[in-house]
Amino acid sequence: MSKIQATFARLQTAGRKALIPFITAGDPDPALTPALMHTLVEAGADIIELGVPFSDPMADGPTIQRASERALAKGVSLWQVLGMVETFRATDAVTPVVLMGYANPIEAMGVEAFAALAQHAGVDGVLIVDYPPEECAGFVDALTRHGLDPIFLLAPTSSEARIASVGEHAQGYVYYVSLKGVTGSGALDIGAVAARIPHIRASTGVPVGVGFGIRDANTARAIAEVADAVVVGSRIIEEIEKSEPENVCTRVHALVTELRRGIDAAGGKT
């Protein structure tokens, strides 16, 4: 059982849902990323999604695009992101870390080399937005050989064939995009999400996390009542943008604590 799978099993036994916050590695400063990761855990994160900065993040809205631009301006590369995970792992061997990003940096490094280095750094799962499940059998094989969970996106527009394809490869969890569009856009339709989740969960056989459009404790609670995990990214990045380096961890801690309270208020409902 992987670290991610063990986390979901533990939470299910306790009747709780997972909080999965997202930050972009290197934003607002590379030296702060490991500290921010620890802050997320202290505030109640169960799994961390760590974004790999990329120059053309097509699935991300303006907020996360700006985070990538800030990190890239400071020279953050995939190599450095792996180093940040390794630094985090020096004092946290428990919390699962998922790298989320795009194919180009991995292709440049080499799929096999990436999988080996990610395992060595302490990565637990990988979500690559532009690797469709139908075309990435080699990538999935490399990840699984190195003990990494391949994680995939599904959306309201996903066909039955795409859901079945994800079900063949997905491990850890599936990330269900609750909105049509990019991150940080639109308003949640909780009813539509609730209607979709049981089918995805049954078809893929892994927990389902829901992201896009979750901005506060109330929306986090509503999603936690129907999904296995709540994923929050843009709202956290906005808090980072509004912060100074000396108070960024404090402000992020306060926000994530609020999200955690909302999720826990949902109890173990499914």
Side-chain angles (χ1 to χ4, degrees):
M1 182 179 290
S2 73
K3 198 179 295 180
I4 295 172
Q5 293 164 341
T7 295
F8 277 105
R10 172 179 53 79
L11 290 168
Q12 183 177 31
T13 299
R16 303 178 71 219
K17 303 301 180 70
L19 170 57
I20 308 179
F22 169 97
I23 60 172
T24 299
D27 178 47
D29 187 89
L32 283 173
T33 296
L36 274 169
M37 293 171 72
H38 286 298
T39 294
L40 296 175
V41 176
E42 291 162 7
D46 298 294
I47 297 167
I48 295 172
E49 282 187 0
L50 187 63
V52 179
F54 184 57
S55 58
D56 186 23
M58 65 189 77
D60 295 307
T63 299
I64 295 178
Q65 287 181 17
R66 289 193 299 270
S68 271
E69 289 167 2
R70 289 190 294 269
L72 291 171
K74 292 182 178 289
V76 175
S77 67
L78 178 55
W79 288 93
Q80 287 180 290
V81 175
L82 293 173
M84 294 172 193
V85 176
E86 195 165 3
T87 298
F88 172 75
R89 278 282 172 253
T91 48
D92 186 330
V94 176
T95 306
V97 175
V98 173
L99 292 190
M100 185 172 182
Y102 295 84
N104 292 48
I106 291 172
E107 294 290 334
M109 179 177 284
V111 168
E112 187 65 32
F114 165 75
L117 289 166
Q119 180 188 34
H120 177 77
V123 173
D124 300 287
V126 181
L127 195 169
I128 301 303
V129 174
D130 49 350
Y131 270 155
E134 301 89 349
E135 300 175 14
C136 67
F139 179 65
V140 169
D141 287 346
L143 293 185
T144 54
R145 279 197 304 274
H146 291 279
L148 304 171
D149 284 341
I151 297 164
F152 292 94
L153 294 168
L154 286 172
T157 54
S158 294
S159 65
E160 288 301 317
R162 170 55 63 88
I163 294 171
S165 181
V166 166
E168 291 177 9
H169 298 296
Q171 300 173 39
Y173 60 96
V174 167
Y175 186 146
Y176 180 65
V177 175
S178 61
L179 305 170
K180 298 176 183 178
V182 296
T183 58
S185 63
L188 274 174
D189 182 342
I190 302 298
V193 174
R196 196 78 162 138
I197 296 302
H199 175 62
I200 293 173
R201 190 187 286 126
S203 299
T204 62
V206 296
V208 179
V210 174
F212 287 40
I214 301 164
R215 302 190 56 80
D216 53 34
N218 289 335
T219 49
R221 175 176 180 168
I223 292 298
E225 289 177 346
V226 299
D228 303 297
V230 178
V231 186
V232 185
S234 293
R235 179 64 188 89
I236 296 172
I237 301 299
E238 287 174 3
E239 201 66 25
I240 291 171
E241 281 188 314
K242 293 186 292 187
S243 304
E244 298 298 330
E246 61 269 19
N247 68 7
V248 63
C249 287
T250 300
R251 292 186 61 150
V252 168
H253 190 283
L255 171 60
V256 176
T257 298
E258 176 191 348
L259 296 168
R260 177 80 262 171
R261 288 180 184 141
I263 292 168
D264 288 343
K269 298 177 185 178
T270 57

